[in-house]
Amino acid sequence: MNLNQVTAPCTDLEASIRFYQDLGLELIVAGNGHYARFLCPEGHSTFSLQLTDSLPSAPGVHLYFECRNLDQTVKELLEKGFLFTELPNDKPWLWREARLSDPSGNVLILYFAGENRVNPPWRLASKNGSEG
């Protein structure tokens, strides 16, 4: 597994976008004024923000772990007794995901996105005017 995607809540998306861009992250997706995704400056990790009216007390942060063979990984974890709240399924954002929670209630998403993780069809053009 490879940890590479964390989604954090925010109450002011525009200010948060500016902050993370100033921090050095590259904005790659801006969705309908409620979502933004960034590419981290090193490696291929991404970080995203989700607009909310108030910060949640739980579940808080969602942890994403990419699995090359998601269905097989989930099958093996089920055999070990892990309980999933959502079995592998295809999402409209072109990822295949399965969900479970850790003992503290934090949401973990095991997923496979392939090229769509950092280069979805709706990706914003990069600074040099090209896509992806």
Side-chain angles (χ1 to χ4, degrees), residues 1 3-9 48 56-66 82-87 91 93 95 97-111:
M1 284 189 229
L3 174 63
N4 60 31
Q5 168 67 27
V6 175
T7 300
S48 58
S57 58
V61 174
H62 291 66
L63 302 171
Y64 287 72
F65 294 90
E66 189 161 20
F82 283 82
L83 300 175
F84 282 78
T85 57
E86 189 176 313
L87 293 174
K91 299 296 185 182
W93 47 90
W95 295 16
E97 297 183 356
R99 294 177 182 235
L100 66 157
S101 296
D102 72 10
S104 298
N106 292 307
V107 177
L108 279 73
I109 296 99
L110 305 183
Y111 77 100

Side-chain angles (χ1 to χ4, degrees), residues 59-88:
V61 174
H62 291 66
L63 302 171
Y64 287 72
F65 294 90
E66 189 161 20
C67 304
R68 290 191 188 276
N69 191 340
L70 175 64
D71 293 78
Q72 183 62 35
T73 300
V74 169
K75 180 182 176 194
E76 291 169 4
L77 292 173
L78 285 167
E79 290 170 357
K80 291 180 179 180
F82 283 82
L83 300 175
F84 282 78
T85 57
E86 189 176 313
L87 293 174

Side-chain angles (χ1 to χ4, degrees), residues 13-53:
L13 186 61
E14 290 181 20
S16 297
I17 288 172
R18 284 191 306 273
F19 174 84
Y20 285 102
Q21 285 179 311
D22 289 346
L23 201 58
L25 279 67
E26 179 185 358
L27 182 66
I28 60 173
V29 174
N32 301 324
H34 68 275
Y35 177 82
R37 187 165 64 230
F38 304 86
L39 182 62
C40 294
E42 295 179 14
H44 297 285
S45 295
T46 57
F47 170 79
S48 58
L49 298 167
Q50 181 73 42
L51 184 63
T52 185
D53 292 333

